[in-house]
Amino acid sequence: MSGKTLIEAYEQTAYPLGGNGPRDVQVLKEAFDQVQGSLGSDMYGNGKVIEDFQNKMASVLGKESAVFFPSGTMAQQIALRIWCDEKGLKRVAYHPLCHLEIHEQDGLKELHHIEPILLATQDRLITLADVQQLDEEISCLLLELPQREIGGQLPAFEEVEAISAYCREKGIKLHLDGARLFEIIPYYGKSAAEICALFDSVYVSLYKGIGGIAGAILAGDKGFTEQSKVWKRRHGGDLISLYPYIISSDYYFEQRIGKMSQYYEGAKELAALYNACEGVLTKPEVPVSNMFHVYFELPEEKMASILTSVLEASGVGLTAWLRDAGDGISSFEISIGDRYPNVPKDKLQEAFRLLNEKMREQ
Amino acid sequence: MSGKTLIEAYEQTAYPLGGNGPRDVQVLKEAFDQVQGSLGSDMYGNGKVIEDFQNKMASVLGKESAVFFPSGTMAQQIALRIWCDEKGLKRVAYHPLCHLEIHEQDGLKELHHIEPILLATQDRLITLADVQQLDEEISCLLLELPQREIGGQLPAFEEVEAISAYCREKGIKLHLDGARLFEIIPYYGKSAAEICALFDSVYVSLYKGIGGIAGAILAGDKGFTEQSKVWKRRHGGDLISLYPYIISSDYYFEQRIGKMSQYYEGAKELAALYNACEGVLTKPEVPVSNMFHVYFELPEEKMASILTSVLEASGVGLTAWLRDAGDGISSFEISIGDRYPNVPKDKLQEAFRLLNEKMREQ
């Protein structure tokens, strides 16, 4: 035993499995290397740099209009606020593990005074029946595809179609948390626009699978996006210059939009390797995007020690961190990107042989 | 007459007078040229890149702690919200031409439900007497130094000291809108920290005189800044990576913090040239920072035509735009930066000789 922590061991591995690469300044430098210095900045939401990218994203998402936001947190609160104001009812529904519920310091409640109804439970997806059984009126339903906090699970496309049809019938706006929308295109076998057509408003992230620096797009019809610009100013998101994020988003969109099937296939392959180990399983068992969660039937401290030794012996970076999932179980999340194909298959096999061996010894 | 508009003529001048240079991608490229690609990103407000700069700014401003924000709009609403919550009273006071009142789509009211009392009038600064005569209790008074929308005017430092003492006595928090704080240091002959010592919380911009790409600092005691981080998350401003703005802010801070006296002297010289022309005056008459407003006793359309011809004949970019100030008067704002010393004095004299000649012909 070296006495290293898991993160220390991970940082020294030759073959990290997840992600596109380190989050460092090189990400920005690479994106700007091919850009002329004389290209003018956007100015408070106007200018060619921002307008061209917004138009491109509107087209990709099949929506009339799109607005670039510094963050999804800002974009999504604003989307829900607009739909609530339109109906005159400050109530929405979303999953209990929705980003707005657990990662935003209650911005939706504190800034917008919107009451969320939590649909479904922490361990499963929202179904049509959940929506039909709502006993209070709502302005908007938010669906997150894939549902990140439960491993990136997805409903059948037909279920989303049925929820969409029901919401339209009942006058409920349907908003897509598509932080990882591009990552589910291979599984659904639909275009981004075909998926977005089921929704009134759509948020996508530019730094998940796409691997930009930061930034988000909010798309919908023109009336909706024009209102969103007013709220963007109110939130303090209408920066004089957003081009550092826009140019890098566009650059990495072009680099990676065609690789989503490769990431998805990698995720399925890697999940199968975990599921073949004793005392290990993944959620979902077969990934439906580039991400999944890995669960170990051992508590965090014990498991971290095992993983550290596997990382040190194999040079393969399975994970940099681990969290306590309760009941003597530990887990982590992984998203497959550019790095995965660079890991030699024999190294990968060796890492999993070691992991399985150590799990069996317990 | 060439038929060009003022902005078209300006864009072809060899010697623009205001600002530091074009707002283009080169501003970012230059700042990142000397940065190692392996430097790690900040992550949601943590990491060396953001913490080092925040500590540096806290030290410059003489405050216990500082937080980097994507925008001043976000930072200032949050500062006022924290002070209102602390007192349990959602009422503040500021100038009628305060940024929060006229440039933020009423974010303070719409998101925070804070009621502002407008102190003083649109054409003069807030005085101690205005504060003493408030007939309603307030949680916080915001002072903008210099008051941008009236040409960047400043109260005497003793007046600010007296307002600060009065507010402390009455339990009113004093917040500094220091968007152009660094620019007033030469006139006051005080350090940033000496000015900030009169205030409970301070916002400074990194893209005015400093010339960064975007970004702001909010500083105060640790309890205040820790609360501001929670609100930053709520507003959607706690981006995974803010380093494109932080690194450029730090780079241009180092480049320009020592040039504020040069900008101030340039502004005084240029204002004197305007005031020597017939039918032209500046506010303030003698600038107290790097900025001032120029007023012409001619309506916008007529004056734009005169300026266009002066720009075309002299090659000196006096201004790119002009606004209607009512009553047959037109005006524009100018801020002096790196460009001013590059304008040959004979070209400058020629431009003003032409301007004065054309004003006399009217």
Side-chain angles (χ1 to χ4, degrees), chain B residues 339-358:
Chain B
R339 277 170 164 166
Y340 186 72
N342 301 330
V343 183
K345 291 299 175 204
D346 61 327
K347 298 283 181 188
L348 195 62
Q349 295 294 341
E350 171 65 7
F352 278 90
R353 193 192 60 73
L354 277 168
L355 177 64
N356 197 22
E357 184 180 293
K358 286 178 186 287

Side-chain angles (χ1 to χ4, degrees), chain A residues 23-26 28-29 32-33 35-41 43-44 70-71 73-74 77 81 103-105 107 110-113 207 213-214 230-231 233-236 239-245 247, chain B residues 23-26 28-29 32-33 35-41 43-44 70-71 73-74 77 81 103-105 107 110-113 207 213-214 230-231 233-236 239-245 247:
Chain A
R23 283 193 65 86
D24 62 20
V25 167
Q26 190 55 36
L28 180 141
K29 287 167 89 87
F32 278 82
D33 267 354
V35 181
Q36 292 289 326
S38 59
L39 179 66
S41 173
M43 289 286 282
Y44 298 113
S71 74
T73 295
M74 193 183 292
Q77 285 181 30
R81 175 62 184 263
H103 289 309
E104 302 182 7
Q105 293 276 6
E110 297 285 342
L111 287 171
H112 294 285
H113 308 285
Y207 68 88
I213 297 172
V230 174
W231 284 107
R233 171 64 62 100
R234 288 173 177 155
H235 266 252
L239 308 194
I240 184 169
S241 298
L242 282 165
Y243 75 79
Y245 300 132
I247 287 172
Chain B
R23 284 193 64 86
D24 61 21
V25 166
Q26 189 55 36
L28 181 141
K29 288 167 90 85
F32 278 81
D33 266 354
V35 181
Q36 292 289 326
S38 59
L39 178 66
S41 173
M43 289 286 282
Y44 298 113
S71 73
T73 295
M74 193 184 292
Q77 285 181 30
R81 175 62 183 262
H103 289 309
E104 303 182 7
Q105 293 278 4
E110 296 285 342
L111 287 170
H112 294 285
H113 307 284
Y207 67 89
I213 297 171
V230 174
W231 283 107
R233 171 65 61 100
R234 288 174 178 155
H235 266 252
L239 308 194
I240 183 169
S241 299
L242 282 165
Y243 74 80
Y245 299 134
I247 287 173

Side-chain angles (χ1 to χ4, degrees), chain A residues 330-349:
Chain A
S330 54
S331 78
F332 72 88
E333 173 178 292
I334 189 160
S335 298
I336 298 301
D338 288 350
R339 277 170 164 166
Y340 186 72
N342 301 330
V343 184
K345 291 299 176 206
D346 60 327
K347 298 282 180 190
L348 195 62
Q349 294 294 341

Side-chain angles (χ1 to χ4, degrees), chain A residues 187-202:
Chain A
Y187 173 76
Y188 274 156
K190 306 281 182 185
S191 69
E194 284 170 321
I195 300 168
C196 293
L198 302 176
F199 295 84
D200 298 290
S201 55
V202 173

Side-chain angles (χ1 to χ4, degrees), chain B residues 179-198:
Chain B
R180 295 163 183 80
L181 170 66
F182 301 123
E183 293 86 322
I184 61 171
I185 287 175
Y187 173 77
Y188 272 156
K190 306 282 181 185
S191 69
E194 285 171 318
I195 300 167
C196 293
L198 303 176

